Amino acid sequence: MTGYPRHNVPAFGKPSAPLWKRSPAGIASLAIVLFFSGCGTGQTDRSSALVVPSLNIESSEKWTGLKPDESVVAEVNGIPIPAGRFRKALDDAGAGADPREILKGLLAEEVLAQDAVAADPAYGRVPSEAYSRILVSRMIEDRFEDRFQPKDIPLEDLEKLFRIPVVRGRYNHLEIYVVQDYQWICCNGTPRDCGSVQSEACFAEGKAAIDAVYQTLKDLDPDSEDIPLILDDLRQSAPRLSYQEYEFSFDPKTGKQKGRRIFDDNVVAAVISVSPGHFAGKVKSAFGWHIPFLKTKLPAVHKDLSDPKVREEVAVFFHSRFQQRRFLDALAELIPVMKFRFLAPMYKNHEPKKPPAY
């Protein structure tokens, strides 16, 4: 999104990771406590105590994954390797993989697994606490990632986002000109200030100085990224020279600027007359002298959420925000959230919950 105006276009950066991923020791651990320790009540229903599975070497589906009526491609000590596992390994390896090498790898894995369990019967028995964390992690992934994709965000939620000016401006704006401007400023633009003897002398001095600066720039022909870097060198011959970068919106139908900031008409007329990557010459404004450089010109865009691509882009960018909201909403139904002060700002619209009876 580089080059979009700060006042018209959102700074779409890298979406943040879901809240439970950014704070696994906080939110995710909290969820584990909620689901498996009675939500802090100190009571646990022993009739529904967690049963931790253990691994046993056997030819059933529990160990092999072999489905009913599924073919077998090989055996290790009488334990079958199902065709489905072989096909998955081939798919994971990608095109061009040698099926014989893939099968050898599966056989080696099976040998290692059998030897490990046979050597230590406790191998593979996951501690109850660790297994609880695994279950909660998988539950979170399933509920808030696998089963909640960007396309699942309700349109009414996207419409709320689209009403934010900085979001709407990304898809609905006039022509936008991004300008890098060397300036020799003499007054504030009012007739009283700019008509003073001092201002008139400044304008006269600035004309000669800006002529010299413009000639130097034509000789150097700097790239856009170098323009602000050479300011100090240029000031040696033009001590009042300054630099500013800005952007303005322009409506070619009416020939007028639009937006919260309106710039000098002479500068605007010079800028819109050149193509991106060029200086617009020497310009006298109501404030002083300018040498504007057109960094970027963005064409007018008029789109809204009726465009499937707009809906998709907005949904993808804000997906993690909605994941976090769904996750916190789920927690709000389970716990007395007001006890967790670090979560309080996220629950302004929720009534405090009493501890549930598990």
Side-chain angles (χ1 to χ4, degrees):
M1 305 300 173
T2 302
Y4 279 82
R6 289 180 293 275
H7 60 280
N8 284 323
V9 179
F12 279 13
K14 183 178 180 181
S16 59
L19 180 62
W20 57 88
K21 290 186 176 180
R22 288 192 284 116
S23 182
I27 299 298
S29 296
L30 177 61
I32 293 168
V33 174
L34 298 176
F35 282 88
F36 295 102
S37 65
C39 294
T41 63
Q43 300 176 354
T44 302
D45 185 353
R46 297 184 180 277
S47 65
S48 59
L50 181 67
V51 178
V52 180
S54 60
L55 297 177
N56 297 297
I57 303 172
E58 53 188 79
S59 59
S60 68
E61 181 180 348
K62 185 182 294 186
W63 173 272
T64 66
L66 181 68
K67 304 295 182 182
D69 301 325
E70 185 178 7
S71 59
V72 174
V73 296
E75 291 186 354
V76 177
N77 297 324
I79 303 299
I81 304 293
R85 194 196 303 178
F86 180 49
R87 285 193 297 270
K88 184 178 184 305
L90 282 173
D91 292 340
D92 293 342
D98 187 344
R100 291 173 296 182
E101 294 301 320
I102 298 299
L103 182 57
K104 287 181 182 179
L106 288 178
L107 294 173
E109 289 176 359
E110 181 67 26
V111 170
L112 290 172
Q114 292 184 23
D115 287 348
V117 174
D120 182 2
Y123 186 88
R125 288 191 172 93
V126 183
S128 177
E129 181 181 355
Y131 189 61
S132 298
R133 291 178 179 272
I134 292 170
L135 288 179
V136 171
S137 177
R138 184 66 193 103
M139 179 274 292
I140 290 173
E141 289 179 358
D142 176 67
R143 181 172 177 181
F144 302 102
E145 293 187 36
D146 297 348
R147 288 191 286 145
F148 181 65
Q149 299 297 316
K151 62 181 178 59
D152 300 318
I153 299 175
L155 179 59
E156 61 182 292
D157 287 338
L158 296 180
E159 290 173 341
K160 291 178 182 177
L161 284 172
F162 206 76
R163 286 196 288 269
I164 300 173
V166 73
V167 177
R168 186 175 61 254
R170 167 67 179 85
Y171 305 99
N172 188 0
H173 60 75
L174 298 170
E175 290 182 348
I176 298 173
Y177 294 79
V178 182
V179 183
Q180 295 174 275
D181 191 8
Y182 287 118
Q183 305 172 340
W184 179 283
I185 302 301
C186 295
C187 58
N188 62 15
T190 63
R192 179 177 180 179
D193 187 35
C194 296
S196 67
V197 175
Q198 294 85 352
S199 293
E200 290 179 354
C202 175
F203 271 94
E205 179 188 0
K207 184 179 185 310
I210 217 74
D211 285 343
V213 170
Y214 187 57
Q215 184 59 52
T216 300
L217 291 173
K218 288 199 297 183
D219 294 339
L220 292 175
D221 191 22
D223 293 328
S224 173
E225 58 268 22
D226 294 328
I227 287 177
L229 303 179
I230 61 176
L231 175 63
D232 289 340
D233 293 334
L234 295 173
R235 276 178 170 167
Q236 294 180 14
S237 59
R240 294 182 65 128
L241 194 68
S242 60
Y243 171 82
Q244 184 182 11
E245 184 169 340
Y246 53 88
E247 59 268 335
F248 61 84
S249 298
F250 186 79
D251 185 354
K253 292 182 179 180
T254 62
K256 295 181 179 180
Q257 300 177 66
K258 290 187 177 180
R260 289 179 294 178
R261 296 184 64 190
I262 302 299
F263 295 87
D264 186 271
D265 288 337
N266 290 342
V267 174
V268 170
V271 168
I272 65 175
S273 68
V274 299
S275 56
H278 293 84
F279 284 100
K282 299 169 290 183
V283 183
K284 184 180 180 181
S285 74
F287 306 90
W289 294 95
H290 304 257
I291 305 177
F293 178 90
L294 179 53
K295 181 179 181 180
T296 307
K297 175 186 176 181
L298 301 175
V301 176
H302 300 289
K303 297 180 179 180
D304 56 30
L305 291 176
S306 63
D307 187 324
K309 291 185 177 180
V310 173
R311 289 199 305 274
E312 180 183 10
E313 185 172 330
V314 174
V316 168
F317 182 80
F318 289 103
H319 182 218
S320 61
R321 175 183 295 188
F322 286 105
Q323 285 178 310
Q324 294 166 21
R325 192 183 75 180
R326 284 170 60 89
F327 181 69
L328 293 172
D329 286 347
L331 286 185
E333 297 301 318
L334 296 172
I335 62 176
V337 296
M338 299 311 293
K339 291 185 178 181
F340 298 90
R341 294 187 178 182
F342 74 100
L343 289 176
M346 305 175 191
Y347 288 111
K348 292 180 180 179
N349 298 323
H350 288 276
E351 293 293 329
K353 299 289 182 179
K354 297 180 179 180
Y358 272 71

